[in-house]
Amino acid sequence: MTKPEFELSEQSYKYLFENANDAIWVHDMTGSIVAANKACARLTGYAPQELIGKNVREFLSREFLDFAKEVRRRLLAGETLEQPYEQRLLRKDGATRIMKMVTSLVVIDGEVKGVQHIARDITEEKQLQENIRLHSQLCIRAQERERERIALELHDDVAEPLLLVSQRLDMTLSSPRAKLPGSLRQKIEEFRILTNEAIERLRRCAQDLRPRILDDLGLAAALEWMADDVREHGIDGHFELLGTEQSLPDEVELLLLRIAQEALNNTRRHAEASSVWITMEFGSDKAILTIKDNGKGFKLPEKVEDLAGTGKLGLAGMQERAQLMKGYLRVGSEPGKGTTVIIEVPI
Ligand SMILES: Nc1ncnc2c1ncn2[C@@H]1O[C@H](COP(=O)(O)OP(=O)(O)O)[C@@H](O)[C@H]1O
Ligand SMILES: [Mg+2]
């Protein structure tokens, strides 16, 4: 190994410590601070000289004190601790800051003398993330309302009048007084069939936009209907209900149905699967929806949210919807081994 060209003097280290952008502080085993840098003063709101001798407990509320103790216990016991970890701190002015921090023991002559921390204030970053999440949730809700409105309009303003047309054609055909020549009769019959087909398509459209079946028959029936519906696309759909169906809040049921719809769309569009299984399980404290296909699978990105950046909004949207109901989404896929989407929601 080549010798470095120079070594940092103690003074240089001190300079680094003092002027680091991250807050750094060291306390002894009783929690009393023995060193803290300028960034630590900015983070806590105390002047640098005020910090020395202060006990770190003063910065922690009950819950976070317990967490800090746990961190220390693990370090002393040599157990693994995922670092950096998140922690909260109470400032001098009473405000709470969120930090991402790294903690290690100060060992002198083989003896643990204290604990040192390096912390970055991520409060604003967290706030921003939260705002984005809230915004996307508002968008999801607005989109649902809009879909409901369009579905209603399709039904009332388009399907209803068409239904009248179909009925009139029917009446014309069956009226004994109308002496229709055979060729005209055949034409009218054709119109009637075409009109009925259009009505059926509209119904499907409206059902996709706002699944009425959900309001009428509940989630399990709606999922079963969807499993049947994929047969139209040559995929063998199965549905299974495990446990006793419990009624969930309307919004939760709709969100679950949307996730299933999107997962089935993916199966249809990407999987080249021959079968898909939908399972809805009701436990004592959670409901679990699973959509599993036997298709070609795919290589999962590290985070589903990352897909949104490439214009793929399906899985990311499922994630958003799961979060909206305080649920948890898991996607499992491997090339050649099919894809499974699981959503757990607390009841
Ligand atoms: N069931 C599936 N089978 C195979 N590939 C899938 C499946 N679901 C998703 N994928 C893959 O993951 C990608 C992202 O899916 P998604 O976020 O829904 O976006 P999009 O469907 O608009 O492409 C898809 O483009 C596809 O490559
Ligand atoms: Mg998709």
Side-chain angles (χ1 to χ4, degrees), residues 262 266 269 314:
E262 185 54 39
N266 278 348
R269 287 177 46 211

Side-chain angles (χ1 to χ4, degrees), residues 89-296:
L89 161 148
L90 286 174
R91 275 173 59 89
K92 187 180 184 179
D93 60 11
T96 301
R97 306 299 288 180
I98 309 169
M99 306 168 293
K100 193 168 241 183
M101 52 193 280
V102 178
T103 296
S104 55
L105 299 172
V106 180
V107 183
I108 298 169
D109 297 334
E111 204 184 325
V112 181
K113 293 284 192 191
V115 185
Q116 61 190 14
H117 309 273
I118 304 174
R120 178 164 296 181
D121 189 343
I122 55 164
T123 316
E124 264 87 42
E125 200 179 311
K126 282 286 224 192
Q127 190 61 45
L128 194 67
Q129 275 173 6
E130 182 63 8
N131 289 349
I132 293 173
R133 214 167 59 89
L134 284 177
H135 179 257
S136 85
Q137 298 188 343
L138 284 177
C139 288
I140 290 176
R141 291 204 168 109
Q143 188 190 36
E144 287 300 344
R145 275 199 303 276
E146 190 63 5
R147 283 179 177 170
E148 185 161 11
R149 190 184 64 75
I150 299 172
L152 206 69
E153 278 181 12
L154 277 183
H155 181 266
D156 292 356
D157 300 347
V158 191
E160 284 291 318
L162 276 180
L163 202 62
L164 279 180
V165 174
S166 166
Q167 283 166 356
R168 291 280 158 83
L169 293 173
D170 213 20
M171 274 155 59
T172 312
L173 285 172
S174 55
S175 157
R177 276 178 295 138
K179 296 197 183 61
L180 299 172
S183 59
L184 185 56
R185 176 170 286 279
Q186 201 185 339
K187 274 271 171 276
I188 295 180
E189 178 61 28
E190 263 171 40
F191 291 157
R192 198 180 62 92
I193 292 171
L194 285 174
T195 313
N196 286 350
E197 271 174 20
I199 295 171
E200 185 48 37
R201 281 198 206 151
L202 273 171
R203 288 229 169 99
R204 266 178 182 283
C205 254
Q207 188 68 243
D208 272 351
L209 280 167
R210 172 68 218 200
R212 282 283 142 225
I213 189 172
L214 190 60
D215 307 295
D216 301 340
L217 300 176
L219 184 61
L223 290 170
E224 190 166 9
W225 171 78
M226 281 166 60
D228 279 343
D229 201 52
V230 286
R231 284 173 207 271
E232 290 262 313
H233 305 281
I235 300 170
D236 210 4
H238 309 264
F239 172 75
E240 192 178 10
L241 172 67
L242 299 172
T244 323
E245 178 164 19
Q246 293 174 47
S247 158
L248 303 170
D250 286 353
E251 187 181 35
V252 172
E253 293 201 339
L254 184 58
L255 288 167
L256 285 172
L257 200 78
R258 290 292 183 221
I259 293 177
Q261 228 170 10
E262 185 54 39
L264 288 175
N265 276 343
N266 278 348
T267 296
R268 240 176 355 95
R269 287 177 46 211
H270 310 295
E272 294 165 20
S274 60
S275 285
V276 64
W277 294 265
I278 305 179
T279 318
M280 185 74 227
E281 183 179 350
F282 289 91
S284 55
D285 56 352
K286 62 184 174 190
I288 307 168
L289 168 66
T290 310
I291 302 100
K292 179 176 172 342
D293 69 46
N294 64 351
K296 63 178 187 184

